[in-house]
């Protein structure tokens, strides 16, 4: 698969960077972009030759990446600007405006639903899962990634990110999926690999906290921090099964569920 834009590519000026979605091509955003991209690359093979719905596509780069291997990719997003952007920039994606709690698709329309870094933004998560079951064909896959509440908003009942409505841990995500009629296939976690652990050590134990501190303070970035963030690639993250590493220690959760 061809690579998407990186930190040396021209920045996307069509969609604004608001904190609600990540955008390729921005050096200061590159860590978060790559942390999202790794899940698309890891799971895209499961979409090969299939009809796929991306529920909440954001900037659209991930839907386009999946379109390289899928038979068809339909994208639904509530944001009119995002829909217009994807239609103009990623013509392989059939972009549709719609509410994820009432998906504008008929029953049993697709083989796979992907929902990456979106469910934490939804007010009615259970209704969304019900809608996913409705539009999937029997045996279809629902693949979800979301920040792990335990590590993303540690010790808090409400999310740190103002765009998040409810964050989940692995047990809560599993309960949501099983309660919606799905059978669990796998629970995976996203972790820092060796290169990112070295970066953590260089930045007082956490390259994540170093970035957040600058953003909150609206302070200039040290040259070393900016260089490290811009150098991150998707291969610097590990995606591991719950049997390989404690899932509660993961940065993001990646759930794969099957519609019976």
């Amino acid at each position: 698969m061809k690579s998407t834009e990186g930190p040396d590519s021209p920045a996307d000026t069509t969609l604004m960077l608001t904190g609600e979605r990540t955008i390729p091509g921005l050096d200061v955003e590159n860590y978060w972009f790559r942390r999202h991209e790794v899940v698309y690359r890891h799971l895209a093979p499961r979409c090969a030759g299939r009809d796929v719905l991306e529920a909440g596509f954001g900037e659209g780069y991930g839907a386009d990446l999946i379109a390289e291997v899928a038979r068809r990719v339909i994208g639904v997003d509530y944001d009119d600007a995002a829909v217009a952007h994807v239609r103009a920039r990623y013509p392989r994606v059939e972009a549709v405006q719609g509410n994820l709690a009432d998906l504008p698709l008929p029953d049993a329309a697709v083989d796979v639903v992907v929902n990456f870094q979106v469910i934490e933004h939804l007010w009615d998560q259970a209704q969304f899962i019900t809608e996913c079951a409705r539009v999937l064909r029997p045996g279809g896959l629902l693949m979800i990634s979301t920040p792990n509440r335990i590590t993303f908003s540690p010790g808090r009942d409400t999310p740190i990110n103002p765009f998040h409505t409810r964050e989940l841990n692995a047990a809560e995500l599993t309960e949501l999926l099983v309660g919606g009629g799905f059978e669990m296939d796998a629970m995976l976690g996203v972790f820092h690999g060796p290169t990112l652990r070295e970066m953590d050590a260089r930045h007082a134990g956490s390259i994540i906290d170093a970035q957040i501190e600058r953003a909150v303070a609206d302070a200039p970035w040290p040259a070393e921090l900016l260089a490290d963030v811009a150098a991150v690639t998707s291969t610097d993250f590990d995606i591991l099964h719950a049997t390989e590493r404690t899932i509660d220690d993961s940065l993001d959760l990646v759930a794969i569920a099957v519609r019976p």
Side-chain angles (χ1 to χ4, degrees):
M1 294 180 290
K2 70 180 181 181
S3 63
T4 54
E5 292 178 322
D8 295 327
S9 305
D12 185 331
T13 57
T14 305
L15 291 179
M16 293 180 62
L17 182 64
T18 63
E20 188 173 12
R21 59 181 164 236
T22 188
I23 293 177
L26 297 177
D27 52 4
V28 296
E29 181 68 8
N30 185 57
Y31 168 87
W32 299 102
F33 168 65
R34 299 303 182 186
R35 183 164 147 180
H36 292 188
E37 181 191 34
V38 66
V39 178
Y40 283 101
R41 293 198 172 279
H42 187 81
L43 296 181
R46 290 193 176 232
C47 301
R50 296 182 171 188
D51 297 330
V52 179
L53 165 67
E54 178 160 26
F57 50 69
E59 195 274 340
Y61 71 89
D64 187 62
L65 188 154
I66 291 171
E68 294 183 359
V69 298
R71 177 169 54 198
R72 180 189 185 195
V73 176
I74 305 164
V76 174
D77 201 282
Y78 192 72
D79 184 5
D80 286 327
V83 172
H85 169 78
V86 169
R87 286 175 177 170
R89 185 164 188 174
Y90 303 115
R92 294 186 295 189
V93 179
E94 300 173 34
V96 180
Q97 194 279 337
N99 191 328
L100 300 194
D102 185 18
L103 291 168
L105 276 75
D107 296 353
V110 294
D111 304 301
V112 181
V113 176
V114 298
N115 179 251
F116 296 158
Q117 303 294 324
V118 173
I119 196 168
E120 65 275 6
H121 296 267
L122 303 182
W123 288 102
D124 195 339
Q125 295 173 344
Q127 174 60 23
F128 168 65
I129 298 301
T130 297
E131 278 292 278
C132 290
R134 180 184 67 79
V135 302
L136 277 168
R137 295 164 185 151
L141 295 179
L142 172 58
M143 302 193 292
I144 291 178
S145 75
T146 188
N148 178 10
R149 177 175 59 79
I150 295 172
T151 59
F152 199 79
S153 298
R156 291 175 59 98
D157 293 328
T158 57
I160 294 173
N161 189 315
F163 295 105
H164 293 181
T165 60
R166 180 196 177 204
E167 295 171 354
L168 303 160
N169 63 27
E172 292 162 343
L173 180 55
T174 298
E175 181 181 15
L176 185 66
L177 291 167
V178 172
F182 283 87
E183 298 175 354
M184 291 301 298
D185 177 274
M187 181 66 73
L188 312 172
V190 177
F191 299 87
H192 282 179
T195 297
L196 277 164
R197 291 198 295 271
E198 291 175 5
M199 291 184 185
D200 283 332
R202 283 200 294 272
H203 299 285
S206 174
I207 193 171
I208 299 171
D209 289 347
Q211 295 175 81
I212 293 173
E213 287 170 8
R214 269 65 186 189
V216 170
D218 195 21
W221 285 46
E224 183 182 41
L225 176 61
L226 185 58
D228 277 349
V229 168
V232 173
T233 72
S234 60
T235 60
D236 294 327
F237 296 90
D238 293 332
I239 297 184
L240 302 174
H241 194 276
T243 59
E244 299 175 279
R245 190 166 171 184
T246 303
I247 201 71
D248 285 347
D249 294 338
S250 66
L251 301 168
D252 296 320
L253 304 169
V254 182
I256 305 172
V258 180
R259 180 197 184 281

